[in-house]
Amino acid sequence: MPSTPATTANNSSNGTMGAAPEIMLELVDESGNTIGTAEKLAAHQAPGQLHRAFSVFLFDQKGRLLLQRRALGKYHSPGVWSNTCCGHPYPGESPFAAAARRTHEELGISPTLLAEAGTVRYNHPDPESGLVEQEYNHLFVGLAQSALRPDPEEIGETAFVSAEELAERHASTPFSAWFMTVLDAARPAIKELTGPGAGW
């Protein structure tokens, strides 16, 4: 499946760490209850602090998943493929609002039929950067029904892939450490959204 490079800039209030002001994350306990805040980079330094996050999976009308390749300038997991969008709510921001906001900031689209797809808790060290993803992740699925306008500071490429094409790409190309964990956790909602014929 051909990939589409990101070429069009989009205003973003949550860019790469080098250019962005200090960003605070919401720390949570094992049940997802808020217990405090921490600066974004500090929360990801080993051994990591458990914090709230979200992951979005958007599909086209053919049931193909929208992937993004993270921009090379990202401080965490640069240049690897991952799900449509992922990030962190600001303290006090709902995960749903954060997912919709960040999808628009990164991809220039507003998802349709965006729905909650459960949560998953994981601990994934990134061997390249030494950073750790200790996350309580809220999952969302929906549709991408308008033209993408990816922010090149956030996204290097995008691609819509079928389940079969994803398996081939995942076997031959680097993906984010958390990708399969969040995908597997979201599969029941993905199957409900895309239908049995899509193969998810």
Side-chain angles (χ1 to χ4, degrees):
M1 191 65 204
S3 301
T4 305
T7 56
T8 305
N10 184 32
N11 290 331
S12 172
S13 62
N14 188 15
T16 56
M17 281 300 298
E22 183 175 74
I23 297 170
M24 302 302 290
L25 305 186
E26 201 168 81
L27 300 181
V28 299
D29 63 18
E30 293 291 341
S31 299
N33 300 306
T34 303
I35 58 172
T37 60
E39 190 275 326
K40 183 178 179 180
L41 182 58
H44 288 88
Q45 290 173 337
Q49 295 173 274
L50 184 59
H51 57 276
R52 196 177 308 282
F54 64 82
S55 289
V56 178
F57 297 84
L58 298 184
F59 296 81
D60 66 8
Q61 296 291 354
K62 298 178 181 179
R64 298 179 303 173
L65 172 61
L66 174 57
L67 298 176
Q68 66 156 281
R69 186 174 64 82
R70 294 166 63 86
L72 293 175
K74 301 281 281 185
Y75 79 98
H76 188 359
S77 301
V80 301
W81 287 91
S82 198
N83 51 294
T84 308
C85 181
C86 56
H88 310 91
Y90 295 130
E93 182 183 27
S94 76
F96 184 93
R101 169 183 60 80
R102 196 70 186 129
T103 300
H104 189 270
E105 289 173 355
E106 291 193 3
L107 290 156
I109 63 171
S110 295
T112 55
L113 299 179
L114 190 66
E116 296 181 3
T119 59
V120 62
R121 190 260 194 260
Y122 52 78
N123 174 7
H124 284 306
D126 175 34
E128 293 297 321
S129 67
L131 300 174
V132 178
E133 289 288 3
Q134 286 266 18
E135 293 190 332
Y136 188 93
N137 198 304
H138 298 255
L139 308 172
F140 298 92
V141 300
L143 300 178
Q145 296 184 304
S146 54
L148 304 179
R149 293 180 292 109
D151 179 351
E153 291 189 1
E154 299 290 343
I155 298 173
E157 297 176 73
T158 59
F160 283 95
V161 297
S162 66
E164 182 178 346
E165 290 165 342
L166 173 62
E168 294 172 358
R169 187 181 291 251
H170 190 265
S172 62
T173 309
F175 272 70
S176 63
W178 61 87
F179 174 76
M180 287 307 301
T181 299
V182 292
L183 175 63
D184 287 344
R187 280 187 194 275
I190 291 172
K191 291 177 181 177
E192 184 174 345
L193 177 71
T194 60
W200 295 102

